[in-house]
Amino acid sequence: MAIARAIVASNNRVHQLPSGATHDASAMADLTRVAMLFVRCKKGISHNPAEYASDEDMGLAI
């Protein structure tokens, strides 16, 4: 998987998580292979106004 290779190339560890999340990926899956990249959030809070991801983590993701 290209995402995993990019993560390893940037000297980071790959973690694979099972997820029921689909978001836009479900719409695109009929057209092409898809993957989702999850970025850690402070205290694990997401989809909430209190969600926060550091600039450093967002930079690593992109």
Side-chain angles (χ1 to χ4, degrees):
M1 178 183 303
I3 291 175
R5 287 192 302 270
I7 292 168
V8 170
S10 66
N11 295 317
N12 288 284
R13 286 183 29 201
V14 174
H15 299 275
Q16 293 186 1
L17 304 171
S19 173
T22 60
H23 302 279
D24 295 335
S26 60
M28 295 301 295
D30 291 336
L31 303 174
T32 187
R33 293 172 38 183
V34 297
M36 294 178 69
L37 178 63
F38 292 86
V39 177
R40 66 182 173 180
C41 292
K42 186 176 182 181
K43 297 184 181 180
I45 298 171
S46 66
H47 297 85
N48 179 293
E51 179 176 352
Y52 173 80
S54 71
D55 291 345
E56 181 181 0
D57 286 344
M58 294 301 290
L60 284 171
I62 61 169

